[in-house]
Amino acid sequence: MRRDRALKLLLAAVLAGLVLWGGLPLRRHRHFGVPIVKGPGVTEVRKLSDYSPGLEGTMADTSVFVLQGREPGGKALIMGNTHSNEPEGMLAALIVIENAVVEKGTLFVIPFFNNSGSRNTRPGDGYPLYFDVATDWGARRFRFGNRDASPLDQWPDPDVYIHYPERQLLSYIDVRNTNRTWPGRAGGPLMERVTFGAMELIRREGVDIAVDVHGAETMFPVTNCIVAPEKSVKIATLASMTVKAAEGFESHVEPSPAGFRGLSHREIGDHSEAMPFLLEAPIPFLDQPTGPKTVRLLLDGKDPFLLSLSKKKKLFVPYDEDGWPLEKRVGQNLSVTLEIFRQFTKRTAARPIDVRGVPRYADVVASGVGRFLADPSKAAPGAVVVN
Amino acid sequence: MPMIIMIAYHAITAVLLALAVWNFIRERERRQDLVLYALIMVPLLLRLLRWK
């Protein structure tokens, strides 16, 4: 009897240990706040729930940074972390927030678009919970999330996700994927409320350009590109040609398929006046046949298995011993975004978007991403927003 | 509707956890079952605590 009780106590202690050992890091990750420094161009910080009240008080609500220009002009929206395991989008958005000065027009920047997804992880793939970017003043830590929102915030998943309003049948998991739930609805599942908030922002503010910044596998054909629907394709093509000629990197144009619903590059254009663009930079970390999913692979993009596949011409991008580092991916996203603004301004002189202070591809490749990230500990009081 | 299902799901999780705890306390003969009850409780606890 006494031995039984001792065994039970031991097992209960082991159980408690397992729960704490496995669960506490996940809890800490879910509640880890990323400090964002309001740069010289930030004039206001709003919440996405200002446009979609159904988000208020949920983990999916997120900050919207407004950079009002000195002169009026066109309006653009930049979204990062639509997929929170593609940090080159979030970092590009963060660099804009912390560095940009808008001369003409207005920028709206949402660095953590799928905020719930950035608090989720993929333990089955051994995802790291955080990654650090080296800076001149030390390391800056970020949450590394998952493609989809956390089931703690949106559950249950349906057997099949029926897209609203087209009723196309999509994979069940896409109900938590903020690049399948566009254009969303006010009272839909949580991720539809997120995309509805962005659609409302676009419609109410009269946004001209919406840039959704992503990363994609090197073995996926839609990578290293700008995805654009019919209404955006001219500007996308000019931006693609210009960055190739002037900055020496490739980012070809992919047409947005009209029959595939729920994607930002399709639905934003179909449900508003805005021209959508989706940027894809190659991120080796997301490829399936790689070594362990380490922070190092995430940052430098070097993997021997991909190198071997590259020699067999199985990848859709050039790949060598240098990998595909974060600097290239973020720099590429920034240059293409700036070039889209420039091409839009050339074609629509009445609504110029003139942004200064944002580094381009060569600057980021030469100096590193961290060079353009501010130190939150040295920011002025009230200049840090925790997301 | 999803909110109602979510609440029902947590209620079911709590009931299952209570059953596992009850069986764990009552079990006197099969030690293997004790270990199994303890293991079963891990995901139920994590979900009820909203950690995973």
Side-chain angles (χ1 to χ4, degrees), chain B residues 17-36:
Chain B
L17 182 63
L19 284 173
V21 170
W22 178 251
N23 284 338
F24 183 81
I25 293 167
R26 300 271 296 178
E27 182 59 56
R28 286 188 164 77
E29 290 170 10
R30 293 184 294 272
R31 290 182 174 177
Q32 281 182 330
D33 286 3
L34 275 181
V35 177
L36 287 176

Side-chain angles (χ1 to χ4, degrees), chain A residues 291-350:
Chain A
K293 303 292 187 191
T294 60
V295 171
R296 191 169 175 183
L297 173 61
L298 178 67
L299 297 180
D300 69 15
K302 291 180 189 171
D303 183 78
F305 300 100
L306 289 183
L307 188 60
S308 168
L309 287 165
S310 170
K311 287 172 183 161
K312 293 175 178 143
K313 303 196 183 304
K314 300 291 183 192
L315 307 186
F316 287 91
V317 290
Y319 191 91
D320 58 22
E321 285 77 6
D322 294 332
W324 207 287
L326 186 69
E327 291 73 33
K328 274 177 76 171
R329 282 136 50 194
V330 173
Q332 194 167 310
N333 284 334
L334 286 170
S335 268
V336 173
T337 303
L338 292 173
E339 197 51 44
I340 287 169
F341 294 166
R342 201 175 73 86
Q343 294 298 338
F344 172 78
T345 302
K346 276 173 74 176
R347 291 172 60 87
T348 322

Side-chain angles (χ1 to χ4, degrees), chain A residues 170-191:
Chain A
L170 299 172
S171 165
Y172 76 98
I173 195 80
D174 284 334
V175 75
R176 287 189 277 120
N177 177 352
T178 43
N179 201 27
R180 296 294 182 277
T181 57
W182 294 89
R185 55 191 149 169
L190 196 58
M191 293 308 110

Side-chain angles (χ1 to χ4, degrees), chain A residues 1 4 7-8 11-12 15 19-20 23-24 26-27 30 120 123 151-152 155-156, chain B residues 2 5-6 9 24-25 27-28 31 34-35 38 41-42 45-47 50-52:
Chain A
M1 183 73 180
D4 275 356
L7 178 65
K8 281 181 185 175
L11 277 173
L15 165 72
V19 169
L20 290 172
L24 272 182
L26 298 172
R27 187 186 186 282
R30 180 166 162 79
N120 191 14
L152 290 175
W155 200 87
Chain B
I5 296 173
M6 181 82 103
Y9 172 72
F24 183 81
I25 293 167
E27 182 59 56
R28 286 188 164 77
R31 290 182 174 177
L34 275 181
V35 177
M41 281 188 258
V42 174
L45 264 174
L46 285 173
R47 181 50 74 104
R50 294 184 59 76
W51 289 0
K52 180 61 188 160

Side-chain angles (χ1 to χ4, degrees), chain A residues 208-270:
Chain A
D208 301 287
I209 288 175
V211 186
D212 186 10
V213 195
H214 286 249
E217 298 89 335
T218 61
M219 294 186 76
F220 184 54
V222 186
T223 191
N224 208 25
C225 63
I226 310 167
V227 188
E230 303 78 3
K231 69 198 291 191
S232 317
V233 81
K234 278 186 185 165
I235 287 177
T237 306
L238 286 165
S240 168
M241 289 166 66
T242 309
V243 294
K244 186 170 186 183
E247 303 189 49
F249 70 84
E250 179 108 24
S251 185
H252 68 277
V253 178
E254 286 279 345
S256 166
F260 189 4
R261 306 311 305 194
L263 295 111
S264 63
H265 53 74
R266 169 53 45 195
E267 305 295 349
I268 290 174
D270 286 2

